[in-house]
Amino acid sequence: MVGRFNLHTTTSDEDYTIVFAFQESQRVYNGSASQSQYRNHTTRRHTNDKSDVTEYTATEAGEFLEFAIKGNPKNIELFFAERVIYESPEWLRLKKYRKGLLTLRCVNQYRGFIYDRLRVVNDEKSKAYVLPRRLQKEFYYALHKHYDLQRISKGRYPSVEPSNSERDFIMRVRHADTLKGELEPEKLKRMIQRGLDDARENVKRLRPNLPEEVDVNPLCAWLVDLRRSRW
């Protein structure tokens, strides 16, 4: 269970990710599959202040692991985050395999996430194109993944929490009155695009030490053992 990435402000909500597990006998109840995800998310149209809000996403271990194997950044981050509230012994056993999740597919998932943010800021029909705050939020999302993409593409672990200098830059983009000077949108787009290009070249140098896909055998064995265990 993990909280902030150290990018919060006084108006930020508390946002958590939870991984839970069914016992084998709980996976089907009354002839239908049990629910594998629970979410609590709040939208406020007239204020950005969500300081009194606690949001969460709780995902069953099998579904969570499926997306981690596919390299989804949100799932990958949970294996490397430092701000952890609780880690069960079962989770700590799974974390021993985290290095194997950093694959070519994972790099491409990070790159895809960032490309999607750039696509939004370039789309004349998107809210980000006409709403400055929405534009800043898209850059904020892209930059958070931008720095970890550089680390992963060089064979290092993602930090999840940005360094102090990275955080300062991300928060300046997020909360500036106007994106100007070094924060001009075109400059930010060029910076992010250079990062994408650099990651592609880094991966070329890193291979063949970067596997294309995850070795799923130990992960599947962990999941089977988890579901059969008694709590």
Side-chain angles (χ1 to χ4, degrees), residues 56-73:
Y56 64 82
T57 300
T59 307
E60 204 278 328
E63 182 172 318
F64 174 86
L65 200 54
E66 178 182 350
F67 282 96
I69 289 169
K70 292 177 180 178
N72 185 295

Side-chain angles (χ1 to χ4, degrees), residues 2-14:
V2 176
R4 294 164 167 167
F5 295 152
N6 198 27
L7 291 171
H8 57 281
T9 67
T10 56
T11 61
S12 296
D13 58 8
E14 293 276 355

